[in-house]
Amino acid sequence: MNTITIIGLGAADLEQLPLGVYRELTQNQSHLYARTLDHPVIQALQKEGIPFESFDSVYESHDQFGDVYTEIVSRLLAYSDGQDVTYVVPGHPMLAEQTVQLLIQARDRGEVSLHIKGGQSFLDATFTALEIDPIEGFQFADATDLKREELQFLNHLILCQVYDSLIASEVKLTLLEDLPADYPVTIVTAAGSEHEEIVTVPLEELDRRVEVNNLTSVYIPPVKKESLNHKFFRLREVIKILRSPEGCPWDRKQTHESLRKYMIEEAYEFIDAVNRMDDDHMVEELGDVLLQVMLHSQIGEDEGYFTIDDVIVSITEKMIRRHPHVFGEITVDSSDEVITNWEAIKAVEKGEQPDSILDSVPESFPALLQADELQKKAAKVGFDWDTVAPVIEKVEEEWQEFKEARDLGDREEMEKEFGDWLFAIVNLARHYKISSENALQRTNRKFRTRLSSMEKEAHAEGQQLKDYDLHSLEKLWVKAKEKHKGAE
């Protein structure tokens, strides 16, 4: 098996090249291949008469870097079939060099033998140029494959391979998702060489004021956590502080039980924002819902039972399990099949059958919604009328029983019969495929609109609604009804 020798050319010019590596290159008897000729060391060695064959043309034939690297490695493996070759790369072979990683994979598959020799990493020179200590926290990322969710802004952050204005522009747009336009970033080119250049600019000017090349990196200094309030870790930190002994007395004394009503209230306030199609309030109300999740999770952590991490992993794994058509090999043709699969997977997860088919309907549901769900569960096992006629008869029967209780003056019995009548009304709506909850909410909104219109009419006349008699109020009601007809 032939060998590919991989040599790193260092960060910048020939002066940085170790003597041993220099001798290796000048005395080399095998074919010399370079990922790119655009490097000061190669240019200096070419002047000394050392020939290199480059893969620069491969970059021009592909749109994606992954394809470029794959073709380079494919060619190297072909060239090494029957002869030893030497492959030179900028910097250190084991630092931000994807072709080397692909060659290592080929070696592990038994396709080639490798001999890797280091060159000086540009990071050492960059740390010196920037006068930073990576022990304080450091992240190194490839600008050509930048993923916003992976960036750690609390650390020193260096982005390599910012080799042209297009990459610089993409870096800028990614960073602007989290940082202000005037945040200072430092552009470092040819660190440690005689051509070293360091320029600090506002982030928004990253791709405008400075020319970049294949020896350019961008440094983002650590960001104060107070400027990262949009990040999840900050919310978690704030909630933890509020619940700490040094935090807020109100937050400290809350329990799962005491917070129950707030979860319900915030959820309904979000629904109101949705009904109004009010994006700003949707954001605010979703934040309030998330606050409840965080408070309950922090209480769980304080008591040693669970943390927000447990909450997140629970829902993440559930979504993966219950969407095998997305994360697995299952194929579905419709949303109905998705629901069928969901219920089947859910049943397997739950294990033992519940004592009752109604156990899955929370008793804390709003009454109309709960009634609707209970009836749906019963209908699934056949406990339901096939036609709507007997349902209507049941509604009338329950109303008659309510009137009988009313005539007897029995208030407790009136409440029972009124509940039976409402339950029958919900059943009637369900048979007509109407949501009782939505229907009543619609009527509530209609009532709000009309009564508000009446109040405005009264104010225009210098009065309040309480100043009118019933006959006058009915006139205002009719007027409001006509005014909003068609919009309700």
Side-chain angles (χ1 to χ4, degrees):
M1 182 182 297
N2 294 98
T3 298
I4 297 177
T5 298
I6 305 173
I7 297 177
L9 298 176
D13 51 34
L14 194 60
E15 297 301 319
Q16 290 186 336
L17 199 65
L19 180 59
V21 173
Y22 175 76
R23 288 173 175 169
E24 174 93 14
L25 292 172
T26 56
Q27 299 172 11
N28 192 285
Q29 300 299 313
S30 64
H31 290 78
L32 284 172
Y33 295 94
R35 179 166 64 76
T36 176
L37 296 179
D38 190 13
H39 193 283
V41 169
I42 290 183
Q43 294 160 9
L45 291 173
Q46 284 177 322
K47 290 178 181 179
E48 296 184 17
I50 300 174
F52 291 88
E53 183 176 336
S54 84
F55 296 108
D56 285 322
S57 61
V58 179
Y59 286 86
E60 300 173 2
S61 60
H62 294 285
D63 295 327
Q64 302 295 325
F65 287 107
D67 296 332
V68 171
Y69 302 144
T70 298
E71 182 172 339
I72 290 175
V73 170
S74 178
R75 290 191 185 187
L76 283 169
L77 293 175
Y79 297 154
S80 67
D81 185 13
Q83 63 180 343
D84 292 336
V85 301
T86 298
Y87 174 53
V88 300
V89 296
H92 191 287
M94 297 306 295
L95 182 69
E97 189 53 62
Q98 186 61 33
T99 56
V100 174
Q101 295 301 314
L102 293 174
L103 284 169
I104 290 173
Q105 293 174 19
R107 180 204 63 191
D108 293 343
R109 294 193 298 267
E111 299 176 19
V112 70
S113 176
L114 295 182
H115 185 200
I116 301 175
K117 294 187 176 182
Q120 182 182 1
S121 163
F122 80 94
L123 280 179
D124 293 335
T126 302
F127 292 147
T128 301
L130 294 170
E131 298 181 342
I132 63 174
D133 187 347
I135 196 66
E136 298 169 355
F138 165 67
Q139 184 181 18
F140 181 56
D142 183 349
T144 65
D145 188 30
L146 203 57
K147 296 180 176 62
R148 176 193 174 200
E149 66 273 12
E150 296 178 358
L151 298 179
Q152 303 294 325
F153 290 106
L154 295 178
N155 299 327
H156 295 287
L157 174 59
I158 293 178
L159 307 178
C160 68
Q161 301 205 79
V162 188
Y163 57 77
D164 63 23
S165 59
L166 178 60
I167 297 297
S169 179
E170 292 177 352
V171 167
K172 179 185 76 172
L173 293 175
T174 299
L175 295 178
L176 283 173
E177 293 286 331
D178 294 290
L179 304 178
D182 61 351
Y183 196 79
V185 298
T186 300
I187 302 169
V188 184
T189 301
S193 74
E194 61 181 13
H195 302 293
E196 177 180 287
E197 184 177 4
I198 301 177
V199 181
T200 299
V201 299
L203 174 57
E204 62 184 341
E205 298 183 16
L206 174 59
D207 57 345
R208 300 180 202 160
R209 283 179 34 184
V210 181
E211 289 193 13
V212 298
N213 58 42
N214 67 316
L215 298 179
T216 298
S217 297
V218 172
Y219 167 66
I220 300 94
V223 181
K224 293 182 179 179
K225 63 183 180 181
E226 290 78 11
S227 299
L228 297 171
N229 285 345
H230 61 293
K231 294 290 188 178
F232 180 75
F233 82 89
R234 274 292 287 157
L235 173 61
R236 186 174 187 179
E237 182 179 63
V238 167
I239 300 303
K240 191 168 187 175
I241 292 172
L242 289 174
R243 287 275 304 170
S244 72
E246 298 76 27
C248 172
W250 186 90
D251 290 284
R252 287 203 311 269
K253 76 175 185 178
Q254 297 310 309
T255 65
H256 293 306
E257 292 75 19
S258 68
L259 290 172
R260 285 177 299 190
K261 64 176 183 178
Y262 299 110
M263 179 71 83
I264 295 172
E265 290 174 4
E266 302 302 353
Y268 277 116
E269 288 178 7
F270 169 70
I271 292 172
D272 282 344
V274 173
N275 291 338
R276 297 194 305 271
M277 292 187 289
D278 187 335
D279 290 338
D280 290 338
H281 277 90
M282 283 190 219
V283 170
E284 180 181 349
E285 299 305 339
L286 278 175
D288 290 341
V289 171
L290 180 56
L291 169 62
Q292 297 306 309
V293 174
M294 297 303 294
L295 282 172
H296 281 286
S297 298
Q298 189 59 50
I299 291 171
E301 183 172 348
D302 294 340
E303 296 177 349
Y305 292 113
F306 65 90
T307 71
I308 187 62
D309 296 328
D310 298 311
V311 174
I312 292 172
V313 74
S314 172
I315 189 60
T316 300
E317 292 183 351
K318 179 191 289 186
M319 290 300 99
I320 293 172
R321 287 195 311 270
R322 296 193 184 180
H323 291 82
H325 53 288
V326 177
F327 302 103
E329 304 299 325
I330 300 297
T331 300
V332 296
D333 297 321
S334 67
S335 59
D336 288 339
E337 287 187 48
V338 172
I339 295 173
T340 300
N341 288 341
W342 177 285
E343 293 298 335
I345 296 168
K346 181 179 178 180
V348 172
E349 291 174 356
K350 297 297 184 182
E352 296 181 4
Q353 291 295 320
D355 294 334
S356 169
I357 59 173
L358 305 180
D359 285 351
S360 61
V361 181
E363 293 186 16
S364 56
F365 264 12
L368 285 179
L369 178 60
Q370 187 177 165
D372 191 47
E373 290 298 316
L374 291 172
Q375 292 170 11
K376 286 178 182 177
K377 295 292 184 182
K380 283 186 176 181
V381 297
F383 188 54
D384 192 17
W385 281 293
D386 295 329
T387 64
V388 75
V391 182
I392 295 175
E393 291 178 5
K394 188 64 175 176
V395 170
E396 294 172 346
E397 174 189 325
E398 298 297 352
W399 179 244
Q400 185 61 40
E401 291 177 0
F402 167 75
K403 290 195 293 184
E404 292 173 359
R406 178 200 60 189
D407 293 341
L408 292 173
D410 189 336
R411 296 195 62 81
E412 183 175 352
E413 194 65 23
M414 285 172 61
E415 182 176 300
K416 291 179 182 178
E417 298 301 342
F418 194 80
D420 291 345
W421 178 68
L422 286 176
F423 195 83
I425 287 288
V426 170
N427 198 17
L428 178 61
R430 188 177 59 82
H431 272 265
Y432 282 114
K433 300 189 183 306
I434 296 171
S435 166
S436 303
E437 187 73 22
N438 291 345
L440 186 55
Q441 289 286 6
R442 184 171 185 173
T443 296
N444 289 340
R445 289 194 296 272
K446 178 166 60 178
F447 186 83
R448 282 176 182 270
T449 299
R450 293 181 185 178
L451 197 67
S452 295
S453 181
M454 291 168 61
E455 288 178 317
K456 291 177 182 178
E457 287 288 337
H459 291 160
E461 296 177 6
Q463 299 188 73
Q464 297 181 0
L465 291 183
K466 64 181 181 179
D467 300 326
Y468 293 83
D469 59 22
L470 181 58
H471 180 70
S472 299
L473 288 173
E474 288 179 345
K475 286 185 176 181
L476 288 177
W477 176 266
V478 172
K479 187 175 181 180
K481 181 178 179 180
E482 290 298 319
K483 181 177 179 180
H484 296 282
K485 189 176 182 180
E488 299 171 331

